[in-house]
Amino acid sequence: MSDVKRGLSPVTMFLDDEAVITVSGALDATTAPDFKRMVADFFEVADRPDVDVLTLDLSSVSACDQAARDLVRYAQAICADRALALRVVPSAPVSRALTKH
């Protein structure tokens, strides 16, 4: 069960000198649509030629399921289409999800 309150996105987006999307709370099948929307929105807002690396900060994700692995792959594919590198900063739950087969 997700610990994210209904109606509130678990995703917070920051854009300063570096391109960073910070995710907190639960990252699972129920929050996946919010995540995908925020990644897409990020690229609409952050279409800057000086950005060459997107950092996906998942260090505050408290719970996740296998959807986290799919969501990281989704972000990776979008970055590849835009010739950007993707840097992932995982929490312990995300690390476990990413290493499971």
Side-chain angles (χ1 to χ4, degrees), residues 42-87:
F42 172 84
F43 283 107
E44 286 181 21
V45 171
D47 190 18
R48 299 182 351 190
D50 61 325
V51 174
D52 58 354
V53 177
L54 170 63
T55 299
L56 189 55
D57 184 353
L58 306 178
S59 64
S60 295
V61 171
S62 57
C64 66
D65 61 15
Q66 290 303 311
R69 181 174 52 199
D70 296 336
L71 294 171
V72 169
R73 288 181 181 156
Y74 171 80
Q76 188 175 33
I78 289 179
C79 285
D81 286 345
R82 290 170 170 75
L84 294 176
L86 177 66
R87 177 179 176 251

